[in-house]
Amino acid sequence: MKAVLIPTDFSNSAMHAIDYALNLYKCERTNFYFLHAYADEVYGPFKTNGETSIEEHKETVKNNTDKSLKDLIQKLTVREHNPKHTYETLSAFDTLVDAVNDFANQINVDLVIMGTKGQTADKKITFGSHTVQVFKYVQCPVLAIPLDYKYQQPKKILFPTDYMLPYKRRELKLLNTLASEFKSEIHCLYISDFEDLSNRQIDNQRFLRESLAEAFLFFERLPTKNKAEAIMDYIKKNNINLLVMVNSRHSFLEDMLYRSTVDEIGLRLKIPFLVMQNLPR
């Protein structure tokens, strides 16, 4: 069975990501784990007034969290009766990134799916701070779903790559399984002024071919310009349903994620964004 972890803060964005996940895995036997990490709620707004201790406040937040998670499961069970799906809840007195990493290791998660914005969403930005932190530091693949995106099967997948780094088999297997399920095209986009590949790049491209055997693969090259603009143009012109990028040291994606906001480089995504990890932690 697939194991899918969905962090939720009970916002519309989180519920939208849950709906996408249930559609994406509609035909697969899947365990869905709904996680709420509440350390920020305990420490953030809490100010002692002499009547309530931090422990009492923590217990109150935990009880509210458990009730909200229970209500979520009841709602989904009534609305989405799928015999292939099971639902479990997880609550953690921890930061979101640490909680996701801990549970990802404990239950051997295949994929984390989450909304792009939380309850305190700023309409001007594409990715909320929590989403960016999860992209940067969580050790397994993360799929972010924009709030305004209506579910479509990922028939056309864009995978920008420079072929410079070795890929993880497990994460490419995830992508290959998705492509197999939906008979997807994967467009491997190389943004460079040079047509010829080095031996290292050729080896990594060959590994991609072998690992993505179930997909309809296309290898394409565009001349160098602003990479974010090139990616956005390609998405628009080719009706792409899913963007996939690898987070690694010195990669374009890492450079994006370490700016103050992702939007500074103009990557205002309106489609789901899958970040695969290739970072030593």
Side-chain angles (χ1 to χ4, degrees), residues 131-158:
T131 312
V132 173
Q133 293 300 310
V134 171
F135 279 161
K136 280 161 67 171
Y137 300 119
V138 164
Q139 295 173 331
C140 67
V142 179
L143 175 59
I145 313 300
L147 180 58
D148 297 329
Y149 184 78
K150 291 184 179 178
Y151 177 78
Q152 296 175 27
Q153 293 182 350
K155 294 281 192 182
K156 288 191 170 186
I157 300 170
L158 176 59

Side-chain angles (χ1 to χ4, degrees), residues 170-216:
R170 175 169 179 167
E171 302 206 352
L172 287 181
K173 184 179 178 184
L174 167 78
L175 188 55
N176 189 54
T177 302
L178 269 180
S180 173
E181 176 74 22
F182 296 105
K183 307 291 186 289
S184 306
E185 299 175 2
I186 297 181
H187 297 246
C188 299
L189 180 63
Y190 178 44
I191 301 172
S192 173
D193 290 328
F194 302 100
E195 290 189 29
D196 294 336
L197 301 179
S198 68
N199 289 335
R200 175 183 176 185
Q201 288 173 307
I202 291 169
D203 284 344
N204 287 329
Q205 189 185 67
R206 186 184 299 122
F207 184 65
L208 271 183
R209 286 183 192 275
E210 293 167 358
S211 301
L212 300 174
E214 300 294 328
F216 298 100

Side-chain angles (χ1 to χ4, degrees), residues 6-21:
I6 306 180
T8 177
D9 61 357
F10 312 110
S11 63
N12 290 338
S13 180
M15 195 66 223
H16 185 65
I18 291 170
D19 290 339
Y20 183 95

Side-chain angles (χ1 to χ4, degrees), residues 98-112:
D98 287 342
V100 170
N101 263 330
D102 287 348
F103 285 117
N105 290 327
Q106 283 179 35
I107 57 186
N108 201 18
V109 162
D110 294 294
L111 179 63
V112 174

Side-chain angles (χ1 to χ4, degrees), residues 1 4 9 80 85 102 122 125 140 144 150 198 207 234 257:
M1 290 183 80
V4 176
D9 61 357
E80 304 276 350
H85 293 171
D102 287 348
D122 180 343
I125 67 169
C140 67
K150 291 184 179 178
S198 68
F207 184 65
Y234 195 96
L257 296 179

